[in-house]
Amino acid sequence: MDLSPHVLIPMHGRVNMWPKHMLCGYLKNRRNRESTILKAIKGGGKTLFDIVAYTYADVDSNLWLPAASNVRLHVDHLAQQDKFPKVALVYLSSLIFACPILHTLFFMSYFAFLYVYAFVLCKL
């Protein structure tokens, strides 16, 4: 915002001639996402899967695997800003930060199961 650009060329979509409006929208979306992630954690979310399921409840679960990396980035950012409740920080540090490979394997096996299940269901 400090650069006051006249045009933005996003990674996808059209060239934007109203960059301040677009950037404000991005920042609002980011703040909303981080707020939802904090609600998930305060509501008892203890794993990356719990947080993704809460945060992206209105999104097709087939998209949760890529969403998990986005949630992970938000969680890292929130942790750097020291915005977690103290109790949640213990759970997150032990379950999310210490075991990213286990979470990835869980997500991959979950979605592989869903894919096979959908495939078999279509054949019936």
Side-chain angles (χ1 to χ4, degrees), residues 69-99:
S69 64
N70 185 36
V71 167
R72 176 73 188 239
L73 291 172
H74 280 291
V75 167
D76 290 344
H77 182 252
L78 289 167
Q80 288 174 351
Q81 292 182 330
D82 201 23
K83 289 192 175 181
F84 291 123
K86 297 302 176 198
V87 174
L89 191 56
V90 172
Y91 289 127
L92 288 171
S93 62
S94 63
L95 294 174
I96 291 179
F97 300 121
C99 305

PDB file of all heavy atoms in Angstrom, residues 69-99:
ATOM      1  N   SER A  69      -1.753 -26.032   3.212  1.00  0.00           N
ATOM      2  CA  SER A  69      -0.503 -25.266   3.145  1.00  0.00           C
ATOM      3  C   SER A  69      -0.769 -23.788   3.408  1.00  0.00           C
ATOM      4  O   SER A  69       0.050 -23.108   4.033  1.00  0.00           O
ATOM      5  CB  SER A  69       0.194 -25.472   1.802  1.00  0.00           C
ATOM      6  OG  SER A  69      -0.596 -24.972   0.748  1.00  0.00           O
ATOM      7  N   ASN A  70      -1.917 -23.292   2.978  1.00  0.00           N
ATOM      8  CA  ASN A  70      -2.285 -21.902   3.244  1.00  0.00           C
ATOM      9  C   ASN A  70      -2.526 -21.697   4.742  1.00  0.00           C
ATOM     10  O   ASN A  70      -2.042 -20.720   5.324  1.00  0.00           O
ATOM     11  CB  ASN A  70      -3.539 -21.533   2.442  1.00  0.00           C
ATOM     12  CG  ASN A  70      -3.896 -20.081   2.578  1.00  0.00           C
ATOM     13  OD1 ASN A  70      -3.037 -19.215   2.650  1.00  0.00           O
ATOM     14  ND2 ASN A  70      -5.187 -19.811   2.632  1.00  0.00           N
ATOM     15  N   VAL A  71      -3.228 -22.633   5.363  1.00  0.00           N
ATOM     16  CA  VAL A  71      -3.474 -22.541   6.804  1.00  0.00           C
ATOM     17  C   VAL A  71      -2.151 -22.602   7.558  1.00  0.00           C
ATOM     18  O   VAL A  71      -1.927 -21.854   8.508  1.00  0.00           O
ATOM     19  CB  VAL A  71      -4.428 -23.657   7.279  1.00  0.00           C
ATOM     20  CG1 VAL A  71      -4.450 -23.764   8.798  1.00  0.00           C
ATOM     21  CG2 VAL A  71      -5.830 -23.402   6.748  1.00  0.00           C
ATOM     22  N   ARG A  72      -1.274 -23.460   7.112  1.00  0.00           N
ATOM     23  CA  ARG A  72       0.044 -23.580   7.758  1.00  0.00           C
ATOM     24  C   ARG A  72       0.801 -22.245   7.730  1.00  0.00           C
ATOM     25  O   ARG A  72       1.396 -21.831   8.727  1.00  0.00           O
ATOM     26  CB  ARG A  72       0.834 -24.686   7.055  1.00  0.00           C
ATOM     27  CG  ARG A  72       2.236 -24.885   7.522  1.00  0.00           C
ATOM     28  CD  ARG A  72       2.252 -25.554   8.889  1.00  0.00           C
ATOM     29  NE  ARG A  72       3.608 -25.537   9.374  1.00  0.00           N
ATOM     30  CZ  ARG A  72       4.286 -26.607   9.683  1.00  0.00           C
ATOM     31  NH1 ARG A  72       3.723 -27.777   9.614  1.00  0.00           N
ATOM     32  NH2 ARG A  72       5.510 -26.515  10.106  1.00  0.00           N
ATOM     33  N   LEU A  73       0.752 -21.562   6.590  1.00  0.00           N
ATOM     34  CA  LEU A  73       1.403 -20.248   6.486  1.00  0.00           C
ATOM     35  C   LEU A  73       0.766 -19.241   7.444  1.00  0.00           C
ATOM     36  O   LEU A  73       1.464 -18.464   8.093  1.00  0.00           O
ATOM     37  CB  LEU A  73       1.331 -19.733   5.048  1.00  0.00           C
ATOM     38  CG  LEU A  73       2.177 -20.486   4.027  1.00  0.00           C
ATOM     39  CD1 LEU A  73       1.866 -19.989   2.616  1.00  0.00           C
ATOM     40  CD2 LEU A  73       3.657 -20.329   4.330  1.00  0.00           C
ATOM     41  N   HIS A  74      -0.554 -19.263   7.524  1.00  0.00           N
ATOM     42  CA  HIS A  74      -1.244 -18.362   8.451  1.00  0.00           C
ATOM     43  C   HIS A  74      -0.874 -18.683   9.901  1.00  0.00           C
ATOM     44  O   HIS A  74      -0.638 -17.764  10.697  1.00  0.00           O
ATOM     45  CB  HIS A  74      -2.760 -18.473   8.279  1.00  0.00           C
ATOM     46  CG  HIS A  74      -3.304 -17.704   7.122  1.00  0.00           C
ATOM     47  ND1 HIS A  74      -3.327 -16.332   7.069  1.00  0.00           N
ATOM     48  CD2 HIS A  74      -3.863 -18.122   5.971  1.00  0.00           C
ATOM     49  CE1 HIS A  74      -3.877 -15.932   5.942  1.00  0.00           C
ATOM     50  NE2 HIS A  74      -4.207 -17.009   5.244  1.00  0.00           N
ATOM     51  N   VAL A  75      -0.827 -19.971  10.237  1.00  0.00           N
ATOM     52  CA  VAL A  75      -0.479 -20.375  11.593  1.00  0.00           C
ATOM     53  C   VAL A  75       0.938 -19.916  11.927  1.00  0.00           C
ATOM     54  O   VAL A  75       1.189 -19.377  13.012  1.00  0.00           O
ATOM     55  CB  VAL A  75      -0.626 -21.903  11.767  1.00  0.00           C
ATOM     56  CG1 VAL A  75       0.029 -22.389  13.050  1.00  0.00           C
ATOM     57  CG2 VAL A  75      -2.098 -22.292  11.744  1.00  0.00           C
ATOM     58  N   ASP A  76       1.864 -20.090  10.993  1.00  0.00           N
ATOM     59  CA  ASP A  76       3.237 -19.617  11.209  1.00  0.00           C
ATOM     60  C   ASP A  76       3.261 -18.109  11.439  1.00  0.00           C
ATOM     61  O   ASP A  76       3.950 -17.615  12.334  1.00  0.00           O
ATOM     62  CB  ASP A  76       4.130 -19.974  10.016  1.00  0.00           C
ATOM     63  CG  ASP A  76       4.401 -21.464   9.903  1.00  0.00           C
ATOM     64  OD1 ASP A  76       4.161 -22.199  10.885  1.00  0.00           O
ATOM     65  OD2 ASP A  76       4.846 -21.895   8.816  1.00  0.00           O
ATOM     66  N   HIS A  77       2.502 -17.378  10.630  1.00  0.00           N
ATOM     67  CA  HIS A  77       2.444 -15.916  10.748  1.00  0.00           C
ATOM     68  C   HIS A  77       1.845 -15.497  12.092  1.00  0.00           C
ATOM     69  O   HIS A  77       2.369 -14.605  12.770  1.00  0.00           O
ATOM     70  CB  HIS A  77       1.629 -15.332   9.587  1.00  0.00           C
ATOM     71  CG  HIS A  77       1.554 -13.851   9.602  1.00  0.00           C
ATOM     72  ND1 HIS A  77       0.400 -13.184   9.920  1.00  0.00           N
ATOM     73  CD2 HIS A  77       2.482 -12.898   9.337  1.00  0.00           C
ATOM     74  CE1 HIS A  77       0.620 -11.881   9.860  1.00  0.00           C
ATOM     75  NE2 HIS A  77       1.876 -11.683   9.517  1.00  0.00           N
ATOM     76  N   LEU A  78       0.766 -16.147  12.491  1.00  0.00           N
ATOM     77  CA  LEU A  78       0.138 -15.831  13.774  1.00  0.00           C
ATOM     78  C   LEU A  78       1.069 -16.171  14.938  1.00  0.00           C
ATOM     79  O   LEU A  78       1.112 -15.445  15.933  1.00  0.00           O
ATOM     80  CB  LEU A  78      -1.185 -16.587  13.912  1.00  0.00           C
ATOM     81  CG  LEU A  78      -2.318 -16.090  13.004  1.00  0.00           C
ATOM     82  CD1 LEU A  78      -3.461 -17.094  12.983  1.00  0.00           C
ATOM     83  CD2 LEU A  78      -2.797 -14.723  13.454  1.00  0.00           C
ATOM     84  N   ALA A  79       1.808 -17.262  14.819  1.00  0.00           N
ATOM     85  CA  ALA A  79       2.756 -17.645  15.874  1.00  0.00           C
ATOM     86  C   ALA A  79       3.869 -16.612  15.991  1.00  0.00           C
ATOM     87  O   ALA A  79       4.279 -16.258  17.110  1.00  0.00           O
ATOM     88  CB  ALA A  79       3.340 -19.022  15.585  1.00  0.00           C
ATOM     89  N   GLN A  80       4.348 -16.108  14.859  1.00  0.00           N
ATOM     90  CA  GLN A  80       5.392 -15.078  14.882  1.00  0.00           C
ATOM     91  C   GLN A  80       4.894 -13.803  15.554  1.00  0.00           C
ATOM     92  O   GLN A  80       5.658 -13.093  16.186  1.00  0.00           O
ATOM     93  CB  GLN A  80       5.862 -14.759  13.466  1.00  0.00           C
ATOM     94  CG  GLN A  80       6.698 -15.833  12.839  1.00  0.00           C
ATOM     95  CD  GLN A  80       7.022 -15.538  11.388  1.00  0.00           C
ATOM     96  OE1 GLN A  80       6.493 -14.613  10.784  1.00  0.00           O
ATOM     97  NE2 GLN A  80       7.887 -16.354  10.807  1.00  0.00           N
ATOM     98  N   GLN A  81       3.604 -13.530  15.401  1.00  0.00           N
ATOM     99  CA  GLN A  81       3.028 -12.330  16.008  1.00  0.00           C
ATOM    100  C   GLN A  81       2.576 -12.574  17.446  1.00  0.00           C
ATOM    101  O   GLN A  81       2.034 -11.685  18.081  1.00  0.00           O
ATOM    102  CB  GLN A  81       1.841 -11.836  15.184  1.00  0.00           C
ATOM    103  CG  GLN A  81       2.236 -11.315  13.828  1.00  0.00           C
ATOM    104  CD  GLN A  81       1.033 -10.779  13.065  1.00  0.00           C
ATOM    105  OE1 GLN A  81      -0.087 -11.248  13.251  1.00  0.00           O
ATOM    106  NE2 GLN A  81       1.262  -9.799  12.220  1.00  0.00           N
ATOM    107  N   ASP A  82       2.779 -13.797  17.939  1.00  0.00           N
ATOM    108  CA  ASP A  82       2.427 -14.175  19.308  1.00  0.00           C
ATOM    109  C   ASP A  82       0.942 -13.930  19.587  1.00  0.00           C
ATOM    110  O   ASP A  82       0.567 -13.374  20.609  1.00  0.00           O
ATOM    111  CB  ASP A  82       3.300 -13.408  20.302  1.00  0.00           C
ATOM    112  CG  ASP A  82       3.372 -14.095  21.662  1.00  0.00           C
ATOM    113  OD1 ASP A  82       3.145 -15.317  21.718  1.00  0.00           O
ATOM    114  OD2 ASP A  82       3.619 -13.394  22.666  1.00  0.00           O
ATOM    115  N   LYS A  83       0.078 -14.384  18.666  1.00  0.00           N
ATOM    116  CA  LYS A  83      -1.354 -14.156  18.780  1.00  0.00           C
ATOM    117  C   LYS A  83      -2.142 -15.362  19.274  1.00  0.00           C
ATOM    118  O   LYS A  83      -3.353 -15.318  19.343  1.00  0.00           O
ATOM    119  CB  LYS A  83      -1.932 -13.717  17.426  1.00  0.00           C
ATOM    120  CG  LYS A  83      -1.521 -12.330  17.023  1.00  0.00           C
ATOM    121  CD  LYS A  83      -2.326 -11.849  15.853  1.00  0.00           C
ATOM    122  CE  LYS A  83      -1.995 -10.405  15.538  1.00  0.00           C
ATOM    123  NZ  LYS A  83      -2.780  -9.906  14.422  1.00  0.00           N
ATOM    124  N   PHE A  84      -1.478 -16.444  19.643  1.00  0.00           N
ATOM    125  CA  PHE A  84      -2.176 -17.625  20.106  1.00  0.00           C
ATOM    126  C   PHE A  84      -2.403 -17.565  21.606  1.00  0.00           C
ATOM    127  O   PHE A  84      -1.555 -17.069  22.344  1.00  0.00           O
ATOM    128  CB  PHE A  84      -1.391 -18.906  19.803  1.00  0.00           C
ATOM    129  CG  PHE A  84      -1.329 -19.231  18.355  1.00  0.00           C
ATOM    130  CD1 PHE A  84      -0.119 -19.380  17.719  1.00  0.00           C
ATOM    131  CD2 PHE A  84      -2.487 -19.382  17.611  1.00  0.00           C
ATOM    132  CE1 PHE A  84      -0.058 -19.683  16.378  1.00  0.00           C
ATOM    133  CE2 PHE A  84      -2.438 -19.685  16.267  1.00  0.00           C
ATOM    134  CZ  PHE A  84      -1.220 -19.835  15.649  1.00  0.00           C
ATOM    135  N   PRO A  85      -3.547 -18.117  22.059  1.00  0.00           N
ATOM    136  CA  PRO A  85      -3.700 -18.290  23.508  1.00  0.00           C
ATOM    137  C   PRO A  85      -2.624 -19.247  24.002  1.00  0.00           C
ATOM    138  O   PRO A  85      -2.193 -20.122  23.257  1.00  0.00           O
ATOM    139  CB  PRO A  85      -5.086 -18.921  23.655  1.00  0.00           C
ATOM    140  CG  PRO A  85      -5.710 -18.929  22.311  1.00  0.00           C
ATOM    141  CD  PRO A  85      -4.661 -18.603  21.307  1.00  0.00           C
ATOM    142  N   LYS A  86      -2.182 -19.093  25.218  1.00  0.00           N
ATOM    143  CA  LYS A  86      -1.068 -19.894  25.742  1.00  0.00           C
ATOM    144  C   LYS A  86      -1.361 -21.394  25.686  1.00  0.00           C
ATOM    145  O   LYS A  86      -0.510 -22.189  25.346  1.00  0.00           O
ATOM    146  CB  LYS A  86      -0.724 -19.475  27.169  1.00  0.00           C
ATOM    147  CG  LYS A  86      -0.246 -18.047  27.271  1.00  0.00           C
ATOM    148  CD  LYS A  86       0.977 -17.803  26.405  1.00  0.00           C
ATOM    149  CE  LYS A  86       1.385 -16.344  26.457  1.00  0.00           C
ATOM    150  NZ  LYS A  86       2.250 -15.950  25.387  1.00  0.00           N
ATOM    151  N   VAL A  87      -2.576 -21.809  26.006  1.00  0.00           N
ATOM    152  CA  VAL A  87      -2.919 -23.232  25.975  1.00  0.00           C
ATOM    153  C   VAL A  87      -2.844 -23.751  24.544  1.00  0.00           C
ATOM    154  O   VAL A  87      -2.302 -24.822  24.281  1.00  0.00           O
ATOM    155  CB  VAL A  87      -4.338 -23.458  26.554  1.00  0.00           C
ATOM    156  CG1 VAL A  87      -4.758 -24.905  26.380  1.00  0.00           C
ATOM    157  CG2 VAL A  87      -4.364 -23.055  28.010  1.00  0.00           C
ATOM    158  N   ALA A  88      -3.375 -22.996  23.603  1.00  0.00           N
ATOM    159  CA  ALA A  88      -3.363 -23.421  22.202  1.00  0.00           C
ATOM    160  C   ALA A  88      -1.943 -23.529  21.684  1.00  0.00           C
ATOM    161  O   ALA A  88      -1.644 -24.400  20.882  1.00  0.00           O
ATOM    162  CB  ALA A  88      -4.165 -22.447  21.347  1.00  0.00           C
ATOM    163  N   LEU A  89      -1.066 -22.666  22.129  1.00  0.00           N
ATOM    164  CA  LEU A  89       0.302 -22.677  21.636  1.00  0.00           C
ATOM    165  C   LEU A  89       0.997 -23.988  21.980  1.00  0.00           C
ATOM    166  O   LEU A  89       1.756 -24.513  21.181  1.00  0.00           O
ATOM    167  CB  LEU A  89       1.073 -21.491  22.205  1.00  0.00           C
ATOM    168  CG  LEU A  89       2.427 -21.207  21.583  1.00  0.00           C
ATOM    169  CD1 LEU A  89       2.275 -21.010  20.073  1.00  0.00           C
ATOM    170  CD2 LEU A  89       3.056 -19.996  22.200  1.00  0.00           C
ATOM    171  N   VAL A  90       0.705 -24.546  23.149  1.00  0.00           N
ATOM    172  CA  VAL A  90       1.298 -25.832  23.530  1.00  0.00           C
ATOM    173  C   VAL A  90       0.837 -26.918  22.571  1.00  0.00           C
ATOM    174  O   VAL A  90       1.628 -27.697  22.050  1.00  0.00           O
ATOM    175  CB  VAL A  90       0.920 -26.199  24.983  1.00  0.00           C
ATOM    176  CG1 VAL A  90       1.356 -27.614  25.309  1.00  0.00           C
ATOM    177  CG2 VAL A  90       1.528 -25.206  25.944  1.00  0.00           C
ATOM    178  N   TYR A  91      -0.467 -26.988  22.304  1.00  0.00           N
ATOM    179  CA  TYR A  91      -0.994 -27.983  21.378  1.00  0.00           C
ATOM    180  C   TYR A  91      -0.422 -27.801  19.985  1.00  0.00           C
ATOM    181  O   TYR A  91      -0.008 -28.748  19.346  1.00  0.00           O
ATOM    182  CB  TYR A  91      -2.520 -27.896  21.294  1.00  0.00           C
ATOM    183  CG  TYR A  91      -3.233 -28.382  22.515  1.00  0.00           C
ATOM    184  CD1 TYR A  91      -4.169 -27.572  23.146  1.00  0.00           C
ATOM    185  CD2 TYR A  91      -2.990 -29.649  23.038  1.00  0.00           C
ATOM    186  CE1 TYR A  91      -4.854 -28.021  24.268  1.00  0.00           C
ATOM    187  CE2 TYR A  91      -3.660 -30.099  24.155  1.00  0.00           C
ATOM    188  CZ  TYR A  91      -4.585 -29.275  24.767  1.00  0.00           C
ATOM    189  OH  TYR A  91      -5.248 -29.713  25.859  1.00  0.00           O
ATOM    190  N   LEU A  92      -0.409 -26.561  19.508  1.00  0.00           N
ATOM    191  CA  LEU A  92       0.058 -26.304  18.153  1.00  0.00           C
ATOM    192  C   LEU A  92       1.523 -26.630  17.994  1.00  0.00           C
ATOM    193  O   LEU A  92       1.926 -27.219  16.995  1.00  0.00           O
ATOM    194  CB  LEU A  92      -0.198 -24.841  17.778  1.00  0.00           C
ATOM    195  CG  LEU A  92      -1.657 -24.498  17.541  1.00  0.00           C
ATOM    196  CD1 LEU A  92      -1.811 -22.996  17.394  1.00  0.00           C
ATOM    197  CD2 LEU A  92      -2.174 -25.201  16.320  1.00  0.00           C
ATOM    198  N   SER A  93       2.316 -26.234  18.958  1.00  0.00           N
ATOM    199  CA  SER A  93       3.745 -26.504  18.815  1.00  0.00           C
ATOM    200  C   SER A  93       4.025 -27.994  18.820  1.00  0.00           C
ATOM    201  O   SER A  93       4.898 -28.468  18.120  1.00  0.00           O
ATOM    202  CB  SER A  93       4.533 -25.802  19.921  1.00  0.00           C
ATOM    203  OG  SER A  93       4.135 -26.303  21.171  1.00  0.00           O
ATOM    204  N   SER A  94       3.256 -28.755  19.584  1.00  0.00           N
ATOM    205  CA  SER A  94       3.521 -30.184  19.640  1.00  0.00           C
ATOM    206  C   SER A  94       2.881 -30.952  18.492  1.00  0.00           C
ATOM    207  O   SER A  94       3.420 -31.939  18.038  1.00  0.00           O
ATOM    208  CB  SER A  94       3.043 -30.760  20.972  1.00  0.00           C
ATOM    209  OG  SER A  94       1.648 -30.612  21.075  1.00  0.00           O
ATOM    210  N   LEU A  95       1.730 -30.506  17.994  1.00  0.00           N
ATOM    211  CA  LEU A  95       1.011 -31.279  16.995  1.00  0.00           C
ATOM    212  C   LEU A  95       1.175 -30.775  15.562  1.00  0.00           C
ATOM    213  O   LEU A  95       1.177 -31.566  14.638  1.00  0.00           O
ATOM    214  CB  LEU A  95      -0.481 -31.321  17.350  1.00  0.00           C
ATOM    215  CG  LEU A  95      -0.791 -32.069  18.633  1.00  0.00           C
ATOM    216  CD1 LEU A  95      -2.260 -31.924  18.977  1.00  0.00           C
ATOM    217  CD2 LEU A  95      -0.438 -33.527  18.503  1.00  0.00           C
ATOM    218  N   ILE A  96       1.278 -29.486  15.387  1.00  0.00           N
ATOM    219  CA  ILE A  96       1.384 -28.968  14.020  1.00  0.00           C
ATOM    220  C   ILE A  96       2.842 -28.788  13.618  1.00  0.00           C
ATOM    221  O   ILE A  96       3.279 -29.301  12.615  1.00  0.00           O
ATOM    222  CB  ILE A  96       0.629 -27.637  13.873  1.00  0.00           C
ATOM    223  CG1 ILE A  96      -0.863 -27.891  13.992  1.00  0.00           C
ATOM    224  CG2 ILE A  96       0.934 -26.993  12.527  1.00  0.00           C
ATOM    225  CD1 ILE A  96      -1.705 -26.666  13.900  1.00  0.00           C
ATOM    226  N   PHE A  97       3.597 -28.074  14.431  1.00  0.00           N
ATOM    227  CA  PHE A  97       4.954 -27.750  14.028  1.00  0.00           C
ATOM    228  C   PHE A  97       5.884 -28.956  14.085  1.00  0.00           C
ATOM    229  O   PHE A  97       6.772 -29.089  13.273  1.00  0.00           O
ATOM    230  CB  PHE A  97       5.506 -26.614  14.890  1.00  0.00           C
ATOM    231  CG  PHE A  97       4.704 -25.357  14.778  1.00  0.00           C
ATOM    232  CD1 PHE A  97       4.117 -24.794  15.875  1.00  0.00           C
ATOM    233  CD2 PHE A  97       4.528 -24.755  13.553  1.00  0.00           C
ATOM    234  CE1 PHE A  97       3.374 -23.636  15.763  1.00  0.00           C
ATOM    235  CE2 PHE A  97       3.784 -23.605  13.432  1.00  0.00           C
ATOM    236  CZ  PHE A  97       3.207 -23.040  14.544  1.00  0.00           C
ATOM    237  N   ALA A  98       5.665 -29.831  15.035  1.00  0.00           N
ATOM    238  CA  ALA A  98       6.577 -30.959  15.213  1.00  0.00           C
ATOM    239  C   ALA A  98       6.306 -32.106  14.243  1.00  0.00           C
ATOM    240  O   ALA A  98       7.165 -32.917  14.008  1.00  0.00           O
ATOM    241  CB  ALA A  98       6.494 -31.462  16.642  1.00  0.00           C
ATOM    242  N   CYS A  99       5.098 -32.186  13.679  1.00  0.00           N
ATOM    243  CA  CYS A  99       4.731 -33.345  12.861  1.00  0.00           C
ATOM    244  C   CYS A  99       4.151 -32.976  11.496  1.00  0.00           C
ATOM    245  O   CYS A  99       3.107 -33.511  11.114  1.00  0.00           O
ATOM    246  CB  CYS A  99       3.724 -34.200  13.612  1.00  0.00           C
ATOM    247  SG  CYS A  99       4.265 -34.716  15.225  1.00  0.00           S
TER     248      CYS A  99
END
